[in-house]
Amino acid sequence: MNEQAIQDQYQHIILLLGQRRLKEAQSQLEAFLWNSSDWTLRNRLEQVQTSYQYMLQYMRQGVNDPERQKLYRQLLADTWEITDQTRLNLLDEVSNHYYHALRNNRTYLPREYDIANMQKILESFPDDMAVCQLMPDSQGLDAVLKRHEETSQVLFLSTWCNSDWSAEEEQQAKGLLESELLPVNDLCLFTSAVMLSLIECFDTRKFSWLLDAATHADARVNQRALIAIFFVLHSHPTRLSLYPELIARLSLLDEDGSFGKQLNRVYIEMLRSQETEKIDKKMREEIIPEMMKNVNIMRNMKYGFEDSTDENDRNPDWEKAFESSGLGDKIREMNELQLEGADVYMSTFAQLKSYPFFREVQNWFYPFDMQHSSIVKEFGLKPTGDNAILSLLLQSGFFCNSDKYSLCFTMAHIPQAQRNMMLSQMTSQDLNELMDESKSSTLQQYAQRPDVISNQHVHDLYRFYKLNQRRHEFHDIFKDEIALHRIPALKKILCKPELLVVIADFHFRKEHPAEALELYQELIALNHADADIFQKAGYCLQKEKRYKEAVDAYLKADVLKPDHVWTIRHLATCYRQMKDFTAALEYYKKAEAIQPENHAILFYAGSCLAEQEKYEEALQYFFKLDFIEGNCIKAWRAIGWCSFVSGKYEQAMKYYEKILASKPLATDYLNAGHVAWRLGNIEKAAELYGKAALESGSREVFWEMFSKDKDTLVKQGIDEKDIPLMMDLI
């Protein structure tokens, strides 16, 4: 079987298991296993099939078995696990992916997967480093660093490609969590290996380990475990339903509601990460080109901590130029995005991932470490001078780990003179601020906040899935629809009004009406809807062009918050879209009573009257709009048309002439032609129609426009038989 055939057969069996068609799934799995040489899996399947046959036989005989559902669930789980292992074994033989190369060729890794032994080596690293630093010229440093990094790499790769932990391996892995000597960076890397392994193949022991890791005292570990749980549940959304003990553990984690709040925060971070391409595009197409155009203004602007002396007084013309360029608004927008946690540096660092460091998979997951050999090689163990400033910047929470490595490698390859120039872009007071102990401490405290740690790790993962050279071997989760609240195992944890409304409002702000609507409807079903939620649900329905349902939502909002002009206006809009102009006018008049000079309300109220052929009343609205706004071409068009269809041809021509002297459209020439014809000026009508045909781009488009008005022309007294003749005059 080739790779695609294996994946297709696997997906078919999984589909059957998801539909609880166990007997068919086992039959298909039996055929699937004929392609595998693993007799252990065949024996396991035979045992599961035999157990299921006995269970069905007892059921046929009417035997009352209170444990039947529990057994059935266990058989489903066992069958699914055998299917997973069969898929991996078959892919090991045909796939050229790195994951399967590791599993298939054990020469890359030690024969024994011994977590405890590797733990001892990693635990010795801090002491070994301390000894090296006491030695002249740090003798033996390279060997210590190499031993540590090779061990962490082996542990990462071995864990990633191990699809099924034994009970002993699970206990050894727990030892890593309990160790007080293990460097936290190594534990973080191990956590990511567990995540990748679980995404490839679900394993109850590894998932249970992640639940333990989520309670670890160090935020760097527990936040990484939290994100790993997110990724695993997203990858296997229904799997946990087969393991009640894991669901019980999840519920226990959320006993005080804190786990749900943290998971919801990560949910937002993941959704926000899906906006990165939009931000990246804005940076490339708007912000950076605008900055390049305004480079002289940027040179003259000073950013930093300034005093009010005359020497530092900035020319106000610079700031005026800065604001009038539009660049100020764009930079403020990007600052706001950065403050809310958006990934604004992706476009900057995307080109800086070609260094040899990033060729190794594990390095995309390794927390930034000044003691990593690749950093020590460039900057030494104790950075001094300009490097010390760089070190302080790297301890902040402004960049994710991957970008910090990129920044270091880039700085290392820049000549010292240019590096000094870059750092000198900051004022001396800026540098003093950074070097100040209290300010430095504040930066470090910010970087240690759980929300900052998790957000930066999401940025790391985004780069891994988008930029690593083997990215095509991984399923890109960031391209999926992310809807964690739908996962059955998380219903009780995340489907709480105070959590759902946060996700719903995020989608609403980002203009994702369908996604926001689903959540607002969930809140309504939970009887947790106030006027704002009904308004937002109505707005989403309106965006989806579901006007009747939108009206229902707006009416409920109107009951809870009466006479709210926003609701009234949107009710009017929906009725107008539904062609119910009577109801629309009623609400426009209500809105007019609250905002008598609102231009949009006046225009649409007049439009509804015109649709009902109440032209005299409609004209009053359009005249009022023209009076308030002054030179309102939109009002002139409405006055011109209403005057024409109500027989006021001179008045109509007066307004069309004003339009034609301004910025006429093809329809303006067309309508002016109608009026001229009705006034008996055939030559002028033909001339105006000719201009309409020219502006419309083609005679076919013009004829289509003209045909729509044919009945109106006849109603105004134009002989239908003259229409073909007029067409030939043009």
Side-chain angles (χ1 to χ4, degrees), residues 37 41 52 129 184 203 250 341 386 492 501 680 688:
S37 58
L41 290 176
Y52 191 42
M129 285 295 290
V184 71
D203 178 6
L250 268 176
D386 291 342
K492 289 182 180 178
V501 74
L688 289 165

Side-chain angles (χ1 to χ4, degrees), residues 71-90:
L71 176 59
Y72 180 67
R73 188 171 54 241
Q74 183 61 53
L75 294 173
L76 270 170
D78 289 345
T79 305
W80 206 318
E81 288 170 11
I82 297 166
T83 307
D84 283 345
Q85 294 300 327
T86 304
R87 166 185 165 272
L88 290 181
N89 287 349
L90 292 173

Side-chain angles (χ1 to χ4, degrees), residues 551-653:
V551 164
D552 290 340
Y554 286 141
L555 287 172
K556 287 170 183 170
D558 194 41
V559 169
L560 294 169
K561 191 192 286 185
D563 301 325
H564 191 276
V565 69
W566 188 92
T567 307
I568 293 167
R569 283 184 58 186
H570 282 75
L571 272 166
T573 301
C574 289
Y575 278 122
R576 182 166 54 81
Q577 293 290 351
M578 292 162 65
K579 309 294 184 188
D580 186 345
F581 298 110
T582 303
L585 182 61
E586 177 189 344
Y587 280 99
Y588 278 126
K589 286 186 173 179
K590 280 186 180 182
E592 185 192 4
I594 302 168
Q595 296 179 341
E597 295 192 354
N598 184 295
H599 298 189
I601 291 170
L602 293 173
F603 178 78
Y604 286 119
S607 299
C608 288
L609 286 162
E611 291 287 354
Q612 296 176 79
E613 299 184 6
K614 297 177 180 178
Y615 300 116
E616 289 299 329
E617 290 180 66
L619 280 167
Q620 296 307 309
Y621 275 96
F622 296 133
F623 281 129
K624 183 179 178 181
L625 176 61
D626 188 34
F627 176 76
I628 293 170
E629 192 167 319
N631 296 323
C632 178
I633 197 166
K634 187 164 68 170
W636 294 347
R637 287 191 177 104
I639 293 168
W641 183 255
C642 286
S643 298
F644 171 61
V645 294
S646 59
K648 299 178 179 180
Y649 306 124
E650 296 290 347
Q651 182 172 282
M653 184 53 77

Side-chain angles (χ1 to χ4, degrees), residues 15 55 106 129 249 389 553 595 663 723:
L15 180 66
M55 189 186 115
R106 302 299 293 182
M129 285 295 290
R249 286 203 60 196
I389 298 164
Q595 296 179 341
K663 295 179 180 178
I723 291 176

Side-chain angles (χ1 to χ4, degrees), residues 7 205 278 283 301 305 336 387 394 466 476 488 516 547 560 578 643 649 657 679 688 710:
Q7 297 286 19
R205 290 190 171 103
K278 291 182 188 175
M283 290 289 289
M301 295 291 288
F305 303 91
E336 286 169 11
N387 290 343
L394 294 169
K466 299 293 182 182
D476 185 355
Y547 299 115
L560 294 169
M578 292 162 65
S643 298
Y649 306 124
E657 283 174 350
L679 285 169
L688 289 165
K710 188 176 176 183

Side-chain angles (χ1 to χ4, degrees), residues 10 80 84 197-203 231-240 487:
Y10 171 77
W80 206 318
D84 283 345
S197 180
L198 276 163
I199 290 171
E200 290 285 353
C201 180
F202 190 79
D203 178 6
F231 271 61
V232 174
L233 290 175
H234 174 82
S235 302
H236 308 284
T238 62
R239 197 63 177 271
L240 241 62
I487 293 173

Side-chain angles (χ1 to χ4, degrees), residues 3-46:
E3 193 168 343
Q4 188 58 52
I6 293 168
Q7 297 286 19
D8 289 345
Q9 182 69 0
Y10 171 77
Q11 290 300 331
H12 179 59
I13 297 170
I14 293 310
L15 180 66
L16 293 173
L17 289 169
Q19 295 171 345
R20 299 301 191 258
R21 293 158 64 181
L22 181 53
K23 191 170 183 180
E24 291 177 71
Q26 289 179 343
S27 177
Q28 291 291 326
L29 177 54
E30 191 174 359
F32 198 34
L33 266 167
W34 276 111
N35 299 290
S36 171
S37 58
D38 193 328
W39 286 96
T40 307
L41 290 176
R42 291 191 194 183
N43 290 337
R44 278 183 67 187
L45 177 60
E46 285 176 11

Side-chain angles (χ1 to χ4, degrees), residues 10-287:
Y10 171 77
Q11 290 300 331
H12 179 59
I13 297 170
I14 293 310
L15 180 66
L16 293 173
L17 289 169
Q19 295 171 345
R20 299 301 191 258
R21 293 158 64 181
L22 181 53
K23 191 170 183 180
E24 291 177 71
Q26 289 179 343
S27 177
Q28 291 291 326
L29 177 54
E30 191 174 359
F32 198 34
L33 266 167
W34 276 111
N35 299 290
S36 171
S37 58
D38 193 328
W39 286 96
T40 307
L41 290 176
R42 291 191 194 183
N43 290 337
R44 278 183 67 187
L45 177 60
E46 285 176 11
Q47 291 171 12
V48 172
Q49 285 176 308
T50 302
S51 297
Y52 191 42
Q53 286 165 4
Y54 278 126
M55 189 186 115
L56 292 176
Q57 188 177 335
Y58 292 147
M59 186 176 176
R60 184 190 295 274
Q61 293 170 358
V63 175
N64 182 28
D65 183 0
E67 296 289 305
R68 181 178 294 144
Q69 283 305 313
K70 182 179 177 182
L71 176 59
Y72 180 67
R73 188 171 54 241
Q74 183 61 53
L75 294 173
L76 270 170
D78 289 345
T79 305
W80 206 318
E81 288 170 11
I82 297 166
T83 307
D84 283 345
Q85 294 300 327
T86 304
R87 166 185 165 272
L88 290 181
N89 287 349
L90 292 173
L91 286 173
D92 287 344
E93 297 174 10
V94 298
S95 177
N96 59 2
H97 288 185
Y98 186 47
Y99 174 79
H100 294 288
L102 285 172
R103 285 171 51 84
N104 201 38
N105 188 350
R106 302 299 293 182
T107 56
Y108 291 113
L109 301 171
R111 295 184 180 276
E112 291 289 327
Y113 174 52
D114 191 336
I115 299 173
N117 185 44
M118 287 183 273
Q119 176 182 335
K120 290 175 184 175
I121 298 172
L122 296 173
E123 285 177 338
S124 69
F125 176 64
D127 287 343
D128 293 342
M129 285 295 290
V131 170
C132 280
Q133 289 175 5
L134 293 173
M135 300 289 285
D137 301 321
S138 298
Q139 289 176 8
L141 176 63
D142 289 345
V144 168
L145 292 174
K146 183 179 179 183
R147 183 176 184 228
H148 171 252
E149 286 162 24
E150 285 182 352
T151 305
S152 64
Q153 178 184 23
V154 168
L155 181 59
F156 177 90
L157 297 176
S158 300
T159 301
W160 174 28
C161 69
N162 183 310
S163 59
D164 185 24
W165 269 353
S166 66
E168 182 185 357
E169 287 163 350
E170 181 184 18
Q171 285 304 311
Q172 288 185 354
K174 284 182 179 179
L176 295 176
L177 287 176
E178 295 162 2
S179 173
E180 295 180 1
L181 301 175
L182 184 72
V184 71
N185 286 347
D186 295 328
L187 185 54
C188 286
L189 185 64
F190 182 77
T191 305
S192 292
V194 171
M195 179 191 77
L196 288 181
S197 180
L198 276 163
I199 290 171
E200 290 285 353
C201 180
F202 190 79
D203 178 6
T204 56
R205 290 190 171 103
K206 288 198 198 77
F207 192 81
S208 181
W209 186 90
L210 278 183
L211 296 178
D212 288 333
T215 65
H216 194 275
D218 194 297
R220 289 168 290 180
V221 177
N222 61 51
Q223 291 305 302
R224 195 169 283 225
L226 188 69
I227 293 168
I229 289 168
F230 183 109
F231 271 61
V232 174
L233 290 175
H234 174 82
S235 302
H236 308 284
T238 62
R239 197 63 177 271
L240 241 62
S241 61
L242 301 179
Y243 305 100
E245 66 280 6
L246 291 179
I247 293 177
R249 286 203 60 196
L250 268 176
S251 299
L252 192 62
L253 267 181
D254 193 49
E255 200 168 18
D256 60 357
S258 61
F259 178 75
K261 287 177 185 174
Q262 289 192 72
L263 200 58
N264 216 53
R265 168 171 49 75
V266 173
Y267 190 177
I268 290 284
E269 289 165 359
M270 287 295 295
L271 291 172
R272 195 188 292 124
S273 71
Q274 294 185 314
E275 300 287 305
T276 301
E277 285 185 19
K278 291 182 188 175
I279 296 169
D280 187 34
K281 185 179 180 184
K282 184 180 280 286
M283 290 289 289
R284 284 185 286 103
E285 297 180 4
E286 296 180 34
I287 308 290

